[in-house]
């Protein structure tokens, strides 16, 4: 028992509800909704991606050179530079507001013990906890789901479930009964404070991540499942490998299932997509 508790890999940690990780590019779905809802961008807005953005004497990189990207293309190709520009237009307060709107930074309320609430960046949080000022570089990191932004895999599923359900907030529910007494999940769904007409657009774009040949999750365009979702590859700041995400739902037009495939130190998001492919097949 002592060996288990002292194991640096934390084998007793329920990572689905208590493991905290940066969501990386999965968060771009939230930033996209924020950009459209605030009208900072529209579907035709474009930014040029030369593979990096220079700000404050630092280079903030993209994983490729994408040239001109609109929102659909930026989600499909997971273009960091597009979301750097959008994050600067929105600002940290707006990014914080929409992250909280999607339930990040709060427990999902699932009927299991020891659920973590996560962490959402804010200027006040950084000033109070770290005794540091907020810089534009913090906004850039925030806009691609890195920095002081931590979520559980279940919160990532809830995020996608909100999009799949056109803004309705579903409380995760596991317990079926106590002895012979059935436990019924609440059907009183609250809604996020975001224009309802935006959700079909984002669902279509997340479908493009899988359906289009240049989408980062095209490997998952299998059968008639109609999978939609968002990939994420997260720098860990350690010598170990990156974290790999693929979070989504299907079928995209009439969603039934939301899911998360997360590989702790699993490499790039291509690895999580490969695992997801085996699961769905």
């Amino acid at each position: 028992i002592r060996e288990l508790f002292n194991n640096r890999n934390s084998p007793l940690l329920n990572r689905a509800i208590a493991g905290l990780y940066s969501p990386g590019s999965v968060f771009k779905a939230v930033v996209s909704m924020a950009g459209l809802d605030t009208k900072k961008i529209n579907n035709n807005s474009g930014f040029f991606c030369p593979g990096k953005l220079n700000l404050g004497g630092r280079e903030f990189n993209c994983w490729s050179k994408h040239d001109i990207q609109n929102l659909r293309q930026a989600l499909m190709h997971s273009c960091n530079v597009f979301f750097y520009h959008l994050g600067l237009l929105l600002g940290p307060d707006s990014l914080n507001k929409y992250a909280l709107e999607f339930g990040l930074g709060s427990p999902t309320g699932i009927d299991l013990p020891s659920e973590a609430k996560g962490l959402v960046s804010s200027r006040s949080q950084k000033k109070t906890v770290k005794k540091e000022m907020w810089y534009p570089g913090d906004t850039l990191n925030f806009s691609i789901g890195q920095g002081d932004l931590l979520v559980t895999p279940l919160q990532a599923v809830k995020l996608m479930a909100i999009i799949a359900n056109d803004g309705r907030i579903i409380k995760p529910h596991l317990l079926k009964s106590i002895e012979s007494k059935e436990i019924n999940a609440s059907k009183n769904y609250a809604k996020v404070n975001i224009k309802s007409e935006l959700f079909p657009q984002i669902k279509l774009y997340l479908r493009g991540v899988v359906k289009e040949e240049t989408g980062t999750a095209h490997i998952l365009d299998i059968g008639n499942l109609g999978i939609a979702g968002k990939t994420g590859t997260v720098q860990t700041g350690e010598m170990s490998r990156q974290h790999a995400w693929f979070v989504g739902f299907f079928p995209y037009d009439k969603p039934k299932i939301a899911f998360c495939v997360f590989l702790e130190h699993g490499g790039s998001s291509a690895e999580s997509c490969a695992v997801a492919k085996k699961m769905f097949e």
Side-chain angles (χ1 to χ4, degrees), residues 28-29 32-33 36 41-45 70-78 82-83 160 163 197-212 215-217 227-231 246 249 252:
K28 291 173 182 174
S32 299
M33 296 292 294
L36 292 175
I41 60 167
N42 59 42
N43 293 308
N44 298 317
S45 299
N70 59 26
L71 179 58
R72 180 185 69 84
Q73 293 165 327
L75 275 173
M76 190 167 65
H77 302 142
S78 203
F82 180 97
F83 287 95
M160 282 293 163
I163 294 173
E197 63 268 21
L198 298 179
F199 289 94
Q201 287 179 243
I202 295 297
K203 283 194 280 189
L204 189 61
Y205 294 167
L206 293 176
R207 172 63 179 143
V209 172
V210 177
K211 185 177 181 180
E212 300 296 329
T216 55
I227 297 169
K230 187 70 193 75
T231 55
F246 183 65
F249 53 88
Y252 87 97

Side-chain angles (χ1 to χ4, degrees), residues 249-270:
F249 53 88
F250 67 92
Y252 87 97
D253 52 345
K254 294 182 179 179
K256 299 293 183 185
I257 295 175
F259 62 86
C260 168
V261 177
F262 174 74
L263 307 181
E264 186 177 38
H265 302 299
S268 77
S269 60

Side-chain angles (χ1 to χ4, degrees), residues 99-116:
L100 297 177
E101 195 72 35
F102 278 91
L104 305 185
S106 300
T108 67
I110 192 169
D111 36 8
L112 286 172
S114 305
E115 183 184 12

Side-chain angles (χ1 to χ4, degrees), residues 166-185:
D166 295 325
R168 290 190 298 278
I169 301 171
I170 308 299
K171 180 181 177 181
H173 175 65
L174 185 69
L175 193 62
K176 180 173 175 59
S177 64
I178 298 175
E179 294 184 343
S180 60
K181 184 180 179 181
E182 291 272 331
I183 305 297
N184 294 316

Side-chain angles (χ1 to χ4, degrees), residues 16-246:
I17 64 169
L20 291 172
Y21 313 94
S22 294
S25 293
V26 171
F27 188 64
K28 291 173 182 174
V30 175
V31 182
S32 299
M33 296 292 294
L36 292 175
D37 194 51
T38 58
K39 297 185 178 180
K40 295 293 185 182
I41 60 167
N42 59 42
N43 293 308
N44 298 317
S45 299
F47 297 106
F48 177 71
C49 171
K52 61 185 177 182
L53 179 68
N54 293 307
L55 184 70
R58 286 185 56 196
E59 285 189 356
F60 292 82
N61 293 320
C62 190
W63 67 276
S64 185
K65 295 180 180 180
H66 294 108
D67 296 324
I68 293 289
Q69 299 277 282
N70 59 26
L71 179 58
R72 180 185 69 84
Q73 293 165 327
L75 275 173
M76 190 167 65
H77 302 142
S78 203
C79 175
N80 285 351
V81 171
F82 180 97
F83 287 95
Y84 290 151
H85 284 292
L86 179 52
L88 290 173
L89 286 176
L90 288 164
D93 296 339
S94 189
L95 289 169
N96 175 272
K97 172 190 171 184
Y98 282 90
L100 297 177
E101 195 72 35
F102 278 91
L104 305 185
S106 300
T108 67
I110 192 169
D111 36 8
L112 286 172
S114 305
E115 183 184 12
K117 69 175 186 177
L119 174 67
V120 176
S121 300
S122 71
R123 290 193 284 191
S124 60
Q125 177 262 341
K126 189 178 182 190
K127 187 175 182 179
T128 303
V129 176
K130 292 190 171 183
K131 312 298 182 187
E132 296 175 0
M133 297 295 292
W134 185 278
Y135 296 101
D138 296 317
T139 303
L140 297 191
N141 284 327
F142 196 178
S143 66
I144 61 166
Q146 303 229 162
D148 291 336
L149 179 63
L150 298 173
V151 306
T152 67
L154 185 61
Q155 285 176 324
V157 175
K158 181 179 178 180
L159 187 165
M160 282 293 163
I162 290 171
I163 294 173
N165 284 288
D166 295 325
R168 290 190 298 278
I169 301 171
I170 308 299
K171 180 181 177 181
H173 175 65
L174 185 69
L175 193 62
K176 180 173 175 59
S177 64
I178 298 175
E179 294 184 343
S180 60
K181 184 180 179 181
E182 291 272 331
I183 305 297
N184 294 316
S186 171
K187 297 295 191 295
N188 297 319
Y189 302 135
K191 293 198 73 172
V192 294
N193 187 26
I194 295 172
K195 300 179 187 73
S196 58
E197 63 268 21
L198 298 179
F199 289 94
Q201 287 179 243
I202 295 297
K203 283 194 280 189
L204 189 61
Y205 294 167
L206 293 176
R207 172 63 179 143
V209 172
V210 177
K211 185 177 181 180
E212 300 296 329
E213 287 191 17
T214 56
T216 55
H218 182 61
I219 189 178
L220 286 164
D221 192 26
I222 51 179
N224 297 316
L225 291 180
I227 297 169
K230 187 70 193 75
T231 55
T233 302
V234 178
Q235 306 293 330
T236 62
E238 304 171 4
M239 296 299 291
S240 50
R241 298 177 78 197
Q242 302 157 315
H243 298 323
W245 292 93
F246 183 65

